[in-house]
Amino acid sequence: MAALRRLAPGLGRSLLRPGGPGEAAAGRRGVRALRRSPVRVLPPQKERAAAAEAQQSPREPPPPPPAVERSSAGPGLWYEKAAPGDRRLGKVVTIAKSKKFRDHHGKVLLEGHRLIKDALQAGAVLQTLFFSTVGHLKELPEAELKRANLVKVKFEDIKSWSDLVTPQGLIGIFSKPNHAKMSYPAAQLTSSLPLLLICDNIRDPGNLGTILRSAAGAGCEKVLLTKGCVDPWEPKVLRAGMGAHFRLPIVANLDWESVPSHLPAGVQVCVADNKDPDAQAETTSVSRGAGGAGSAPGTPKAPVKSKPKAAPERRDEEGAAGVCVPELAAQYYYENWTETPVAVVIGGETYGLSPDALHLAASTGGKRLVIPVVPGVDSLNSAIAAGVVLFEGKRQLLLRHKQQDERQTFPVVG
């Protein structure tokens, strides 16, 4: 009875609970189950031993580059061999062809042995070089290659992303060159003439590349590109330029107000035209697709809105009145115009010379250099016009220098 009394209070309490003593016992078991720790699953004995040994052993140094090759020109060059499915080449080429990417990241793409070699010799900084055979590395300056990331890829991959008809298996990503930090060839510097070129709204990549190539061949001191010209680092411009980018300074994206600061003191700026200078009505015409050079003392001034000698207003294709342009004295391009220093302006293919170019020429006492063409021919291609005027300017400058040397060697006694 005593034992029953001891159990009675608990029994009574359990009987008062809903569900009776059975449900209460189940609830207590559930509480105990929730309080239990989760079961720890242990790996097999071998795996535990290997993990403990790995923790106790010192870390190994990182492995060397995946592959090493040595060139015959010097010590070995480290290069990485792209694995199957590696998409870096396609990604880099696609992005580097975008002007927005080139301007934002300051990178340009060069393709081909000659162009890459010219860039390296001029001091351009190579970041990544994709090549198909190790033999390509032997033909490039080894010191510059050591500072770059070299990646060997299949020729088929380069061919699929190349813009060339016959790819050479060599694509380089360079930091965008700065003309002030480049080292141009000594032969180019010694042959340089006091002749400058200003490109006005040249939008065709092939034409601009050809113009730059002509400027380098004629020995121009510098090339200035105004806003509206195509990017000189466009792949098509680079191909047409044939290395001209690394033979003479090219200053791009200039507004007309800043052009005079890039010209030497006393320069005369002239423009080219294809209109007959004997025709009175055509004195104020603006060329389409040509530019010119001039020579007369004076300091260039930024184009201003006021016109020293106003001509009739220029009208656009719809007949709306445009801005007035100044009158310039005209002469044929083969007549003397190369009193040093001189600057040549080449106009765009579609709209020709801008009013700003004519104002700059007028402020320096410049002239309109006429390239005569057969009646009925509207204009010359801008690249052709540049070649005609630049090489005529070179001829006149060299002749003038020769005459000056003869006077110094054989002075006239009077």
XYZ file of all heavy atoms in Angstrom, residues 303-406:
780
model
N 40.744 77.808 -84.885
C 39.676 78.304 -85.741
C 38.671 79.105 -84.935
O 38.262 78.709 -83.848
C 39.050 77.030 -86.313
C 40.118 76.011 -86.192
C 40.904 76.370 -84.979
N 38.285 80.232 -85.454
C 37.333 81.091 -84.780
C 36.091 81.211 -85.639
O 36.097 80.927 -86.834
C 37.928 82.493 -84.514
C 39.061 82.405 -83.519
C 38.423 83.125 -85.822
N 35.026 81.673 -85.023
C 33.771 81.794 -85.752
C 33.789 82.971 -86.728
O 33.125 82.949 -87.732
C 32.622 81.956 -84.754
C 32.471 80.735 -83.828
C 32.240 79.469 -84.635
C 32.095 78.259 -83.724
N 31.900 77.029 -84.490
N 34.559 83.999 -86.414
C 34.639 85.131 -87.329
C 35.508 84.777 -88.521
O 36.527 84.116 -88.378
C 35.223 86.348 -86.614
O 36.525 86.065 -86.145
N 35.120 85.206 -89.712
C 35.820 84.855 -90.939
C 36.594 86.057 -91.451
O 36.048 87.143 -91.602
C 34.848 84.394 -92.016
C 34.116 83.114 -91.657
C 32.933 83.378 -90.802
C 32.292 82.067 -90.360
N 31.208 82.324 -89.391
N 37.885 85.891 -91.696
C 38.652 87.033 -92.175
C 38.181 87.535 -93.527
O 38.253 88.704 -93.830
C 40.083 86.489 -92.242
C 39.928 85.013 -92.324
C 38.690 84.688 -91.572
N 37.725 86.610 -94.347
C 37.260 87.003 -95.674
C 36.129 86.057 -96.056
O 36.355 84.937 -96.503
C 38.407 86.918 -96.685
C 38.080 87.554 -98.037
C 39.316 87.541 -98.907
C 39.028 88.201 -100.253
N 40.202 88.192 -101.128
N 34.940 86.525 -95.824
C 33.803 85.632 -95.934
C 33.444 85.371 -97.384
O 33.541 86.244 -98.241
C 32.607 86.210 -95.199
N 33.043 84.148 -97.645
C 32.545 83.745 -98.951
C 31.062 83.470 -98.821
O 30.527 83.457 -97.718
C 33.295 82.510 -99.434
N 30.397 83.207 -99.922
C 28.980 82.862 -99.812
C 28.778 81.666 -98.900
O 29.639 80.797 -98.784
C 28.604 82.533 -101.273
C 29.593 83.283 -102.095
C 30.861 83.295 -101.307
N 27.614 81.641 -98.257
C 27.337 80.573 -97.315
C 27.319 79.227 -98.021
O 26.824 79.087 -99.134
C 25.989 80.812 -96.647
C 26.006 81.961 -95.648
C 24.678 82.060 -94.931
O 23.694 81.504 -95.450
O 24.632 82.687 -93.863
N 27.872 78.242 -97.317
C 27.863 76.881 -97.842
C 26.521 76.238 -97.530
O 26.009 76.365 -96.425
C 28.993 76.085 -97.188
C 29.100 74.647 -97.676
C 30.212 73.953 -96.938
N 30.339 72.570 -97.340
C 31.189 71.724 -96.776
N 31.979 72.134 -95.809
N 31.260 70.478 -97.192
N 25.961 75.541 -98.491
C 24.671 74.903 -98.291
C 24.845 73.392 -98.305
O 25.664 72.854 -99.016
C 23.679 75.323 -99.389
C 23.363 76.815 -99.332
C 22.422 77.219 -100.457
N 22.070 78.616 -100.343
C 21.027 79.062 -99.649
N 20.273 78.209 -98.997
N 20.758 80.355 -99.591
N 24.032 72.761 -97.471
C 24.121 71.304 -97.410
C 23.303 70.695 -98.537
O 22.776 71.385 -99.400
C 23.653 70.791 -96.037
C 22.237 71.231 -95.710
O 21.494 71.552 -96.660
O 21.882 71.256 -94.513
N 23.168 69.369 -98.513
C 22.523 68.673 -99.608
C 21.041 69.011 -99.712
O 20.434 68.891 -100.770
C 22.711 67.156 -99.430
C 24.166 66.738 -99.526
C 24.335 65.246 -99.315
O 23.317 64.592 -99.035
O 25.468 64.754 -99.430
N 20.442 69.437 -98.593
C 19.032 69.753 -98.610
C 18.781 71.217 -98.954
O 17.643 71.669 -98.967
C 18.414 69.423 -97.249
C 18.503 67.940 -96.900
C 17.910 67.656 -95.533
O 17.488 68.628 -94.872
O 17.859 66.487 -95.153
N 19.844 71.989 -99.173
C 19.677 73.371 -99.547
C 19.635 74.321 -98.376
O 19.463 75.521 -98.556
N 19.761 73.834 -97.150
C 19.731 74.704 -95.986
C 21.040 75.467 -95.897
O 22.110 74.955 -96.232
C 19.495 73.899 -94.720
N 20.949 76.711 -95.450
C 22.141 77.543 -95.353
C 23.080 77.000 -94.308
O 22.668 76.650 -93.205
C 21.748 78.972 -95.024
N 24.360 76.922 -94.633
C 25.361 76.453 -93.692
C 26.244 77.595 -93.244
O 25.906 78.762 -93.390
N 27.409 77.247 -92.687
C 28.339 78.261 -92.198
C 29.126 78.826 -93.375
O 29.302 78.176 -94.406
C 29.287 77.645 -91.162
C 28.514 77.187 -89.945
C 30.079 76.492 -91.760
N 29.588 80.062 -93.200
C 30.419 80.682 -94.228
C 31.844 80.152 -94.124
O 32.311 79.802 -93.035
C 30.410 82.197 -94.059
S 28.807 82.954 -94.376
N 32.512 80.079 -95.236
C 33.892 79.608 -95.260
C 34.762 80.706 -95.854
O 34.314 81.460 -96.722
C 34.026 78.313 -96.084
C 33.283 77.174 -95.419
C 33.509 78.516 -97.497
N 36.003 80.813 -95.399
C 36.874 81.874 -95.916
C 37.403 81.535 -97.302
O 37.526 80.365 -97.678
C 38.006 81.920 -94.889
C 38.051 80.531 -94.335
C 36.639 80.039 -94.323
N 37.713 82.566 -98.063
C 38.348 82.380 -99.358
C 39.848 82.166 -99.175
O 40.476 82.794 -98.338
C 38.107 83.603 -100.241
C 36.668 83.772 -100.684
C 36.519 84.931 -101.645
O 37.546 85.577 -101.944
O 35.403 85.191 -102.081
N 40.391 81.268 -99.968
C 41.825 80.988 -99.938
C 42.393 81.146 -101.333
O 41.758 80.755 -102.326
C 42.100 79.566 -99.428
C 41.643 79.233 -98.007
C 41.892 77.755 -97.725
C 42.370 80.090 -96.982
N 43.575 81.702 -101.419
C 44.258 81.778 -102.711
C 44.540 80.373 -103.219
O 44.874 79.470 -102.446
C 45.558 82.565 -102.559
N 44.381 80.178 -104.520
C 44.520 78.847 -105.104
C 45.713 78.786 -106.039
O 46.074 79.771 -106.688
C 43.246 78.467 -105.848
N 46.320 77.604 -106.081
C 47.405 77.332 -107.018
C 47.461 75.837 -107.260
O 46.907 75.045 -106.478
C 48.750 77.819 -106.453
C 49.252 77.025 -105.251
C 50.624 77.459 -104.793
O 50.824 78.605 -104.433
N 51.567 76.528 -104.828
N 48.127 75.444 -108.347
C 48.271 74.018 -108.609
C 49.258 73.397 -107.615
O 50.204 74.040 -107.178
C 48.752 73.781 -110.040
C 47.686 74.083 -111.069
C 47.847 75.138 -111.972
C 46.525 73.323 -111.137
C 46.870 75.415 -112.924
C 45.545 73.595 -112.081
C 45.725 74.647 -112.958
O 44.755 74.928 -113.887
N 49.016 72.117 -107.299
C 49.820 71.451 -106.266
C 51.278 71.316 -106.680
O 52.164 71.191 -105.826
C 49.230 70.069 -105.966
C 49.580 69.018 -106.991
C 50.644 68.148 -106.793
C 48.860 68.904 -108.178
C 50.970 67.185 -107.741
C 49.171 67.960 -109.117
C 50.230 67.098 -108.896
O 50.555 66.157 -109.842
N 51.577 71.313 -107.987
C 52.961 71.138 -108.445
C 53.724 72.454 -108.498
O 54.899 72.470 -108.836
C 52.989 70.447 -109.818
C 52.071 71.033 -110.849
C 52.394 72.211 -111.512
C 50.874 70.406 -111.152
C 51.547 72.754 -112.459
C 50.009 70.934 -112.107
C 50.350 72.115 -112.747
O 49.505 72.646 -113.682
N 53.081 73.557 -108.167
C 53.786 74.826 -108.041
C 54.380 74.943 -106.642
O 53.974 74.233 -105.716
C 52.826 75.985 -108.329
C 52.290 75.971 -109.753
C 51.242 77.040 -109.985
O 50.654 77.514 -108.995
O 51.021 77.387 -111.153
N 55.306 75.842 -106.481
C 56.049 75.917 -105.219
C 55.145 76.336 -104.058
O 54.463 77.354 -104.118
C 57.201 76.916 -105.368
C 58.061 76.962 -104.116
O 58.200 75.963 -103.426
N 58.629 78.117 -103.828
N 55.133 75.540 -103.003
C 54.361 75.867 -101.801
C 55.042 75.351 -100.528
O 54.427 75.295 -99.466
C 52.948 75.285 -101.869
C 52.888 73.818 -102.236
C 52.773 73.307 -103.485
C 52.936 72.692 -101.355
N 52.750 71.926 -103.453
C 52.840 71.526 -102.139
C 53.037 72.543 -99.966
C 52.851 70.247 -101.599
C 53.042 71.267 -99.421
C 52.960 70.132 -100.232
N 56.307 75.005 -100.620
C 56.957 74.296 -99.508
C 57.988 75.135 -98.767
O 59.065 74.657 -98.429
C 57.642 73.019 -100.019
O 58.537 73.362 -101.078
C 56.624 72.012 -100.495
N 57.693 76.399 -98.531
C 58.529 77.131 -97.585
C 58.274 76.530 -96.206
O 57.142 76.449 -95.757
C 58.176 78.616 -97.591
C 58.497 79.306 -98.913
C 58.106 80.765 -98.892
O 57.737 81.242 -97.804
O 58.157 81.409 -99.936
N 59.313 76.095 -95.545
C 59.152 75.303 -94.321
C 58.737 76.176 -93.163
O 59.095 77.347 -93.099
C 60.475 74.596 -93.986
O 61.475 75.591 -93.821
C 60.881 73.637 -95.075
N 58.066 75.567 -92.170
C 57.428 74.239 -92.193
C 56.032 74.310 -92.807
O 55.435 75.365 -92.843
C 57.361 73.860 -90.724
C 57.214 75.170 -90.020
C 57.970 76.193 -90.833
N 55.543 73.173 -93.252
C 54.252 73.126 -93.930
C 53.391 72.017 -93.333
O 53.905 71.035 -92.798
C 54.422 72.891 -95.442
C 55.095 74.073 -96.090
C 55.199 71.609 -95.692
N 52.085 72.179 -93.429
C 51.130 71.165 -92.973
C 50.102 70.939 -94.057
O 49.629 71.886 -94.688
C 50.456 71.597 -91.677
N 49.760 69.701 -94.284
C 48.820 69.297 -95.330
C 47.539 68.793 -94.676
O 47.589 67.956 -93.782
C 49.429 68.184 -96.196
C 48.440 67.729 -97.257
C 50.723 68.651 -96.817
N 46.401 69.282 -95.143
C 45.099 68.820 -94.640
C 44.440 67.947 -95.700
O 44.326 68.359 -96.852
C 44.176 70.003 -94.282
C 42.837 69.471 -93.759
C 44.829 70.903 -93.255
N 44.004 66.776 -95.296
C 43.293 65.852 -96.183
C 41.861 65.733 -95.677
O 41.643 65.368 -94.524
C 43.964 64.464 -96.190
C 45.419 64.579 -96.643
C 43.184 63.502 -97.094
C 45.595 65.085 -98.043
N 40.907 66.051 -96.543
C 39.506 66.010 -96.155
C 38.881 64.640 -96.287
O 39.425 63.747 -96.942
N 37.730 64.471 -95.660
C 37.036 63.194 -95.659
C 36.412 62.847 -96.993
O 36.279 63.681 -97.885
N 35.989 61.587 -97.104
C 35.478 61.085 -98.373
C 34.087 61.611 -98.680
O 33.748 61.846 -99.842
C 35.442 59.546 -98.350
C 36.777 58.882 -98.083
C 37.087 58.777 -96.593
O 36.221 59.170 -95.779
O 38.185 58.320 -96.247
N 33.277 61.817 -97.660
C 31.878 62.162 -97.885
C 31.641 63.664 -97.932
O 31.038 64.185 -98.872
C 31.003 61.532 -96.786
O 31.216 60.122 -96.761
C 29.522 61.800 -97.057
N 32.140 64.371 -96.925
C 31.844 65.792 -96.806
C 33.035 66.684 -97.129
O 32.912 67.905 -97.108
C 31.342 66.096 -95.389
C 30.089 65.335 -95.038
C 30.134 64.252 -94.163
C 28.865 65.676 -95.609
C 28.992 63.544 -93.853
C 27.721 64.971 -95.298
C 27.778 63.907 -94.411
O 26.641 63.199 -94.116
N 34.162 66.114 -97.405
C 35.322 66.921 -97.752
C 35.869 67.676 -96.568
O 35.762 67.256 -95.418
N 36.463 68.828 -96.845
C 37.090 69.632 -95.807
C 36.039 70.340 -94.957
O 35.048 70.846 -95.463
C 38.014 70.666 -96.439
C 39.248 70.086 -97.145
C 39.837 71.107 -98.084
C 40.265 69.627 -96.116
N 36.301 70.398 -93.678
C 35.386 71.074 -92.765
C 35.670 72.571 -92.752
O 36.788 73.007 -93.071
C 35.541 70.499 -91.358
O 36.837 70.788 -90.853
N 34.697 73.399 -92.373
C 34.954 74.836 -92.227
C 36.082 75.138 -91.253
O 36.833 76.098 -91.454
C 33.612 75.376 -91.729
C 32.592 74.394 -92.226
C 33.278 73.063 -92.177
N 36.223 74.319 -90.202
C 37.309 74.538 -89.243
C 38.671 74.413 -89.907
O 39.601 75.160 -89.588
C 37.208 73.532 -88.087
C 36.041 73.842 -87.160
O 35.726 75.037 -87.006
O 35.456 72.893 -86.618
N 38.809 73.454 -90.832
C 40.081 73.300 -91.536
C 40.375 74.524 -92.395
O 41.520 75.004 -92.462
C 40.042 72.041 -92.406
N 39.358 75.063 -93.039
C 39.554 76.247 -93.869
C 39.882 77.470 -93.019
O 40.701 78.307 -93.417
C 38.303 76.496 -94.703
C 37.949 75.373 -95.697
C 36.613 75.645 -96.364
C 39.042 75.217 -96.739
N 39.269 77.595 -91.857
C 39.577 78.716 -90.969
C 41.029 78.630 -90.478
O 41.728 79.646 -90.395
C 38.624 78.725 -89.781
C 37.232 79.152 -90.138
N 36.961 80.287 -90.856
C 36.027 78.577 -89.876
C 35.654 80.410 -91.012
N 35.061 79.373 -90.437
N 41.474 77.415 -90.145
C 42.856 77.246 -89.700
C 43.818 77.612 -90.816
O 44.833 78.288 -90.586
C 43.090 75.807 -89.236
C 44.517 75.462 -88.779
C 44.916 76.320 -87.585
C 44.637 73.985 -88.450
N 43.524 77.198 -92.035
C 44.386 77.532 -93.166
C 44.418 79.037 -93.399
O 45.478 79.622 -93.653
C 43.910 76.799 -94.422
N 43.260 79.670 -93.307
C 43.208 81.118 -93.520
C 43.981 81.867 -92.443
O 44.622 82.888 -92.719
C 41.751 81.574 -93.550
N 43.945 81.383 -91.201
C 44.643 82.072 -90.110
C 46.152 81.995 -90.245
O 46.872 82.779 -89.620
C 44.214 81.483 -88.766
O 44.711 80.164 -88.607
N 46.656 81.052 -91.039
C 48.099 80.925 -91.247
C 48.529 81.418 -92.624
O 49.681 81.227 -93.017
C 48.534 79.459 -91.082
O 47.876 78.665 -92.073
C 48.182 78.921 -89.713
N 47.615 82.025 -93.371
C 47.951 82.475 -94.718
C 48.079 81.344 -95.700
O 48.826 81.439 -96.684
N 47.368 80.251 -95.446
C 47.480 79.081 -96.298
C 46.793 79.237 -97.636
O 46.052 80.186 -97.884
N 47.011 78.266 -98.496
C 46.474 78.288 -99.857
C 45.662 77.033 -100.124
O 45.670 76.081 -99.350
C 47.601 78.398 -100.880
C 48.445 79.651 -100.741
C 49.561 79.662 -101.761
C 50.423 80.915 -101.622
N 51.534 80.935 -102.610
N 44.975 77.087 -101.219
C 44.229 75.944 -101.705
C 45.043 75.305 -102.825
O 45.247 75.900 -103.876
C 42.874 76.420 -102.237
C 41.830 75.333 -102.385
C 40.434 75.946 -102.482
N 40.393 77.001 -103.482
C 40.146 76.796 -104.772
N 39.968 75.571 -105.212
N 40.106 77.801 -105.624
N 45.534 74.089 -102.574
C 46.351 73.373 -103.561
C 45.429 72.554 -104.451
O 44.702 71.686 -103.981
C 47.354 72.470 -102.865
C 48.308 73.175 -101.894
C 49.236 72.172 -101.255
C 49.088 74.267 -102.603
N 45.463 72.843 -105.723
C 44.528 72.244 -106.663
C 45.176 71.049 -107.348
O 46.287 71.141 -107.890
C 44.066 73.266 -107.707
C 43.173 72.603 -108.748
C 43.337 74.403 -107.025
N 44.498 69.909 -107.300
C 44.887 68.718 -108.053
C 43.956 68.652 -109.259
O 42.783 68.287 -109.126
C 44.765 67.444 -107.201
C 45.576 67.584 -105.918
C 45.199 66.221 -107.993
C 45.419 66.424 -104.961
N 44.419 69.027 -110.431
C 43.508 69.080 -111.586
C 43.065 67.689 -112.009
O 43.854 66.746 -112.051
C 44.356 69.765 -112.666
C 45.772 69.476 -112.284
C 45.800 69.428 -110.787
N 41.802 67.566 -112.311
C 41.238 66.307 -112.802
C 40.422 66.596 -114.051
O 40.093 67.745 -114.357
C 40.355 65.627 -111.730
C 41.173 65.217 -110.529
C 39.219 66.550 -111.307
N 40.101 65.571 -114.781
C 39.316 65.701 -116.006
C 37.914 66.210 -115.657
O 37.324 65.766 -114.660
C 39.241 64.342 -116.722
C 38.303 64.404 -117.925
C 40.630 63.896 -117.150
N 37.381 67.137 -116.425
C 36.026 67.630 -116.150
C 35.027 66.486 -116.085
O 35.059 65.543 -116.886
C 35.731 68.556 -117.340
C 37.085 69.008 -117.800
C 38.000 67.851 -117.570
N 34.149 66.580 -115.113
C 33.156 65.537 -114.904
C 33.504 64.598 -113.769
O 32.639 63.891 -113.252
N 34.787 64.565 -113.368
C 35.206 63.753 -112.219
C 34.987 64.578 -110.967
O 35.558 65.655 -110.814
C 36.681 63.324 -112.347
C 37.104 62.538 -111.115
C 36.882 62.504 -113.611
N 34.155 64.102 -110.086
C 33.746 64.896 -108.923
C 34.884 65.108 -107.945
O 35.083 66.208 -107.444
C 32.574 64.205 -108.220
C 32.078 65.001 -107.026
O 31.784 66.199 -107.194
O 31.998 64.429 -105.936
N 35.641 64.060 -107.628
C 36.677 64.191 -106.612
C 37.657 63.031 -106.720
O 37.416 62.053 -107.428
C 36.069 64.210 -105.209
O 35.457 62.968 -104.917
N 38.745 63.172 -105.999
C 39.728 62.097 -105.872
C 39.509 61.365 -104.565
O 39.017 61.931 -103.591
C 41.148 62.660 -105.905
C 41.663 63.234 -107.223
C 43.073 63.780 -107.042
C 41.645 62.175 -108.324
N 39.900 60.108 -104.548
C 39.930 59.369 -103.298
C 40.891 60.057 -102.333
O 41.951 60.547 -102.724
C 40.359 57.930 -103.584
C 40.540 57.124 -102.323
O 41.603 57.137 -101.725
N 39.493 56.432 -101.910
N 40.518 60.125 -101.056
C 41.327 60.859 -100.079
C 42.735 60.284 -99.966
O 43.708 61.028 -99.816
C 40.646 60.847 -98.716
O 40.435 59.523 -98.267
N 42.873 58.963 -100.040
C 44.200 58.358 -99.948
C 45.049 58.714 -101.160
O 46.257 58.980 -101.040
C 44.078 56.838 -99.802
N 44.437 58.742 -102.355
C 45.165 59.122 -103.567
C 45.589 60.583 -103.487
O 46.736 60.947 -103.814
C 44.303 58.873 -104.815
C 43.958 57.393 -104.938
C 45.021 59.369 -106.060
C 45.151 56.487 -105.108
N 44.674 61.447 -103.049
C 44.999 62.863 -102.930
C 46.139 63.082 -101.951
O 47.034 63.903 -102.196
C 43.759 63.643 -102.491
N 46.129 62.348 -100.855
C 47.207 62.488 -99.868
C 48.541 62.082 -100.468
O 49.559 62.773 -100.284
C 46.895 61.653 -98.636
N 48.572 60.963 -101.180
C 49.821 60.526 -101.789
C 50.353 61.525 -102.806
O 51.562 61.810 -102.836
N 49.461 62.086 -103.627
C 49.889 63.047 -104.644
C 50.520 64.276 -103.995
O 51.629 64.710 -104.350
C 48.692 63.439 -105.533
C 49.048 64.621 -106.417
C 48.246 62.256 -106.386
N 49.828 64.859 -103.022
C 50.295 66.108 -102.419
C 51.528 65.875 -101.536
O 52.490 66.658 -101.581
C 49.156 66.757 -101.606
C 49.657 67.997 -100.886
C 47.994 67.120 -102.512
N 51.534 64.806 -100.742
C 52.656 64.570 -99.829
C 53.959 64.319 -100.581
O 55.010 64.873 -100.226
C 52.345 63.399 -98.904
C 51.271 63.638 -97.829
C 51.032 62.368 -97.029
C 51.673 64.776 -96.907
N 53.913 63.506 -101.615
C 55.157 63.207 -102.320
C 55.611 64.381 -103.194
O 56.806 64.535 -103.433
C 55.011 61.931 -103.139
C 55.196 60.688 -102.314
C 54.116 60.075 -101.696
C 56.457 60.156 -102.106
C 54.286 58.951 -100.909
C 56.647 59.024 -101.324
C 55.551 58.421 -100.718
N 54.678 65.213 -103.640
C 55.091 66.445 -104.301
C 55.740 67.390 -103.288
O 56.750 68.047 -103.586
C 53.889 67.118 -104.960
C 54.173 68.504 -105.520
C 55.252 68.508 -106.592
O 55.501 67.454 -107.211
O 55.851 69.586 -106.822
N 55.176 67.451 -102.099
C 55.818 68.247 -101.054
C 57.204 67.739 -100.704
O 58.136 68.526 -100.497
N 57.367 66.426 -100.661
C 58.688 65.865 -100.401
C 59.665 66.247 -101.506
O 60.821 66.619 -101.225
C 58.582 64.338 -100.281
C 59.916 63.637 -100.084
C 59.739 62.132 -99.984
C 61.087 61.454 -99.772
N 60.950 59.976 -99.659
N 59.231 66.164 -102.743
C 60.106 66.519 -103.859
C 60.562 67.971 -103.764
O 61.758 68.280 -103.929
C 59.382 66.280 -105.188
C 60.246 66.504 -106.417
C 59.411 66.555 -107.676
N 58.582 67.751 -107.719
C 59.028 68.956 -108.087
N 60.304 69.119 -108.449
N 58.218 69.984 -108.099
N 59.628 68.861 -103.469
C 59.971 70.272 -103.379
C 60.903 70.548 -102.196
O 61.856 71.336 -102.311
C 58.699 71.111 -103.258
C 57.822 71.078 -104.492
C 56.625 72.008 -104.383
O 56.614 72.915 -103.556
N 55.610 71.795 -105.220
N 60.663 69.911 -101.063
C 61.513 70.130 -99.889
C 62.931 69.626 -100.132
O 63.910 70.288 -99.772
C 60.910 69.445 -98.666
C 59.661 70.110 -98.069
C 59.030 69.209 -97.025
C 60.023 71.465 -97.465
N 63.060 68.435 -100.718
C 64.396 67.902 -100.992
C 65.128 68.777 -102.005
O 66.343 69.007 -101.879
C 64.285 66.468 -101.507
C 63.781 65.433 -100.492
C 63.663 64.060 -101.154
C 64.701 65.369 -99.273
N 64.418 69.277 -103.015
C 65.040 70.167 -103.988
C 65.484 71.463 -103.331
O 66.588 71.970 -103.605
C 64.062 70.452 -105.127
C 64.552 71.390 -106.231
C 65.789 70.804 -106.912
C 63.450 71.657 -107.250
N 64.667 71.993 -102.439
C 65.029 73.219 -101.745
C 66.269 73.005 -100.871
O 67.172 73.831 -100.831
C 63.850 73.691 -100.896
C 64.086 75.027 -100.194
C 62.880 75.369 -99.331
N 61.690 75.501 -100.147
C 61.348 76.618 -100.779
N 62.122 77.697 -100.687
N 60.246 76.671 -101.487
N 66.317 71.888 -100.152
C 67.472 71.593 -99.318
C 68.734 71.405 -100.154
O 69.831 71.840 -99.763
C 67.214 70.339 -98.476
C 66.149 70.529 -97.446
N 65.570 69.476 -96.773
C 65.554 71.656 -96.971
C 64.664 69.944 -95.931
N 64.637 71.261 -96.033
N 68.586 70.788 -101.311
C 69.741 70.597 -102.193
C 70.268 71.934 -102.688
O 71.490 72.166 -102.735
C 69.348 69.704 -103.365
C 70.482 69.427 -104.339
C 70.013 68.521 -105.476
C 71.143 68.266 -106.456
N 70.694 67.408 -107.592
N 69.389 72.828 -103.050
C 69.804 74.149 -103.518
C 70.478 74.943 -102.405
O 71.465 75.649 -102.643
C 68.591 74.907 -104.061
C 68.016 74.304 -105.338
C 66.720 74.970 -105.756
O 66.137 75.753 -105.002
N 66.260 74.663 -106.975
N 69.964 74.815 -101.187
C 70.589 75.507 -100.066
C 71.992 74.963 -99.798
O 72.919 75.726 -99.493
C 69.720 75.377 -98.825
C 68.406 76.140 -98.909
C 67.522 75.904 -97.700
O 67.825 75.063 -96.847
N 66.409 76.642 -97.623
N 72.162 73.656 -99.884
C 73.491 73.072 -99.689
C 74.459 73.540 -100.773
O 75.643 73.793 -100.495
C 73.397 71.543 -99.690
C 72.624 71.013 -98.491
O 72.506 71.763 -97.488
O 72.127 69.871 -98.550
N 73.982 73.644 -102.001
C 74.855 74.100 -103.085
C 75.268 75.551 -102.877
O 76.411 75.925 -103.170
C 74.144 73.932 -104.422
C 73.957 72.480 -104.840
C 73.185 72.349 -106.136
O 72.648 73.392 -106.614
O 73.106 71.233 -106.675
